[in-house]
């Protein structure tokens, strides 16, 4: 039998074709790119788009530049999807973690409405500061679709320090909701408050400064509680809803900061431990009578600084892994009487 001799060059070519068959070479993901909303002859806004390391592709966008083209008012709609170099990116974040205001003040002064897509999950900074000085109602700002559920639930981080009482639209006439988000409670509100059934988000600073607030009841539909949501308020009792552990699964920094009247934080409805309790989350909550630390995987820096009533004789039992991340002083100045470090399972 004769042997078939194949030249070495041909053999290498066959092997290489086999290895690379079906492989598509694609361009590298850009660090950023620009996208213009509108045309040069009309009011327009230039966004800087930052691709995130996600699959499918997503973007964080910031406002780089804008022109009013002589218009007295503008309507700005951030697209839900932006296409670039053959790739469709879903827009999930507006602004940056260091932005004080994701909408520049000059643009905000003429902005009539702001609309974001249904997949927008995070808005950084003080989105609503400018509304306190203008006649445009906050209700024109469309935060999210009322039909959004599940993993596409918006998780807005925008702080809302100002409040316009005439925009209250809940049953009591004391709170403002946008879609399924509780935006703000009237700082003058007094007594117990129940968050509307079906609410998904409690936005940052929603209860901040509500000095006469008492017990707050949160429905299990709530999946996100924003930064400083209850900071410096008079809240005395609050429950953490089941939806929190199923979705955002954390409490952000300073959520209950300086709530000196807060005694009870119920964790009974949480279905699993929170991934994290953020920096200063319960700092200066000196009336607390306890907390179930089995419901927290990580406790950040100063999370319970100055917390707990010394007369309650709070004893803390906690895993070392919860203390080894995020800096020290987690219980500095607190009223705990003992700290037991448990063995890891």
């Amino acid at each position: 039998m004769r042997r078939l001799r194949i030249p070495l060059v041909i053999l290498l070519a066959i092997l290489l074709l086999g290895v690379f068959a079906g492989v598509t070479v694609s361009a590298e993901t850009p660090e950023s790119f620009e996208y213009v909303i509108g045309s040069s002859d009309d009011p327009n806004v230039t966004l800087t788009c930052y691709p995130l390391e996600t699959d499918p592709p997503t973007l964080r966008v910031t406002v780089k530049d804008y022109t009013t083209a002589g218009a007295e008012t503008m309507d700005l709609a951030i697209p839900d999807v932006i296409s670039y170099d053959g790739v469709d990116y879903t827009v999930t974040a507006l602004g940056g973690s260091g932005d004080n205001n994701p909408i520049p003040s000059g643009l905000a002064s003429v902005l009539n409405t702001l609309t974001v897509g249904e997949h927008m999950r995070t808005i950084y900074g003080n989105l609503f500061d400018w509304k306190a000085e203008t006649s445009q109602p906050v209700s024109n700002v469309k935060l999210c679709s009322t039909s959004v559920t599940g993993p596409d639930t918006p998780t807005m981080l925008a702080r809302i320090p100002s409040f316009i009482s005439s925009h209250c639209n809940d049953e009591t006439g004391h709170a403002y909701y946008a879609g399924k988000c509780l935006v703000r409670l009237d700082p003058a509100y007094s007594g117990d408050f129940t968050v509307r059934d079906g609410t998904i988000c409690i936005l940052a600073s929603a209860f901040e400064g509500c000095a006469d607030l008492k017990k707050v009841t949160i429905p299990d539909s709530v999946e996100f509680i924003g930064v400083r949501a209850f900071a410096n308020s008079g809240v005395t009792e609050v429950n953490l809803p089941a939806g929190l552990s199923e979705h955002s699964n954390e409490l952000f920094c300073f959520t209950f900061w300086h709530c000196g009247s807060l005694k009870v934080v119920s964790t009974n409805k949480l279905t699993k431990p929170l991934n994290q309790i953020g920096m200063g989350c319960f700092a200066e909550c000196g009336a607390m009578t306890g907390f179930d630390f089995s419901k927290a995987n990580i406790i950040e820096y100063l999370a319970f600084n100055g917390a707990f009533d010394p007369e309650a004789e709070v004893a803390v039992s906690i895993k070392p892994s919860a203390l080894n991340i995020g800096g020290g002083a987690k219980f500095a100045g607190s009223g705990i009487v003992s700290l037991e470090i448990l063995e890891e399972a």
Side-chain angles (χ1 to χ4, degrees), residues 48-333:
T48 301
C49 305
Y50 300 92
L52 304 176
E53 295 181 359
T54 58
D55 184 19
T58 59
L59 287 177
R60 175 176 66 85
V61 299
T62 62
V63 176
K64 178 184 179 182
D65 200 3
Y66 66 92
T67 177
T68 64
E72 295 183 358
T73 61
M74 289 178 61
D75 297 301
L76 175 60
I78 306 295
D80 194 39
V81 176
I82 291 177
S83 299
Y84 178 80
D85 199 21
V87 178
D88 292 335
Y89 295 89
T90 300
V91 181
T92 60
L94 171 62
S97 57
D99 290 353
N100 289 324
N101 193 340
I103 304 298
S105 58
L107 174 59
S109 66
V110 297
L111 196 61
N112 182 48
T113 65
L114 170 65
T115 305
V116 299
E118 66 175 0
H119 293 94
M120 182 71 73
R121 297 183 62 84
T122 304
I123 296 181
Y124 296 94
N126 301 329
L127 178 61
F128 293 94
D129 276 356
W130 53 277
K131 285 295 181 181
E133 301 175 359
T134 65
S135 59
Q136 288 87 12
V138 177
S139 56
N140 276 351
V141 179
K142 300 177 182 177
L143 291 180
C144 61
S145 167
T146 56
S147 63
V148 174
T149 57
D152 292 331
T153 299
T155 52
M156 307 296 184
L157 301 184
R159 289 192 60 202
I160 308 167
S162 56
F163 181 78
I164 304 175
S165 60
S166 62
H167 297 150
C168 290
N169 60 3
D170 76 326
E171 297 78 4
T172 68
H174 294 285
Y176 171 67
Y177 288 84
K180 293 187 178 182
C181 297
L182 171 59
V183 177
R184 193 69 164 101
L185 180 68
D186 185 346
Y189 182 84
S190 178
D192 299 344
F193 182 80
T194 299
V195 177
R196 179 191 291 173
D197 285 341
T199 298
I200 292 175
C201 308
I202 295 176
L203 298 195
S205 298
F207 296 96
E208 183 171 0
C210 296
D212 296 319
L213 183 65
K214 303 301 180 186
K215 178 180 179 180
V216 175
T217 302
I218 303 175
D220 286 337
S221 58
V222 170
E223 303 169 358
F224 172 85
I225 300 175
V227 176
R228 300 177 65 99
F230 292 87
N232 201 31
S233 72
V235 61
T236 59
E237 182 177 349
V238 67
N239 66 289
L240 301 182
L244 191 66
S245 55
E246 295 301 320
H247 293 276
S248 63
N249 202 28
E250 65 179 304
L251 288 174
F252 291 101
C253 59
F254 303 111
T255 301
F256 293 94
W257 174 77
H258 211 275
C259 291
S261 299
L262 180 61
K263 293 184 177 182
V264 179
V265 180
S266 174
T267 60
N268 295 337
K269 291 189 175 182
L270 295 180
T271 58
K272 60 183 178 182
L274 297 174
N275 282 338
Q276 171 175 298
I277 294 179
M279 180 178 68
C281 183
F282 292 100
E284 306 304 326
C285 293
M288 287 179 64
T289 57
F291 187 84
D292 184 357
F293 285 94
S294 69
K295 296 294 181 70
N297 287 333
I298 297 173
I299 298 175
E300 285 282 355
Y301 179 63
L302 298 177
F304 290 90
N305 177 63
F308 300 114
D309 181 358
E311 295 184 2
E313 298 185 350
V314 176
V316 175
S317 298
I318 197 166
K319 298 179 296 184
S321 58
L323 300 175
N324 292 339
I325 301 175
K330 303 172 192 294
F331 297 95

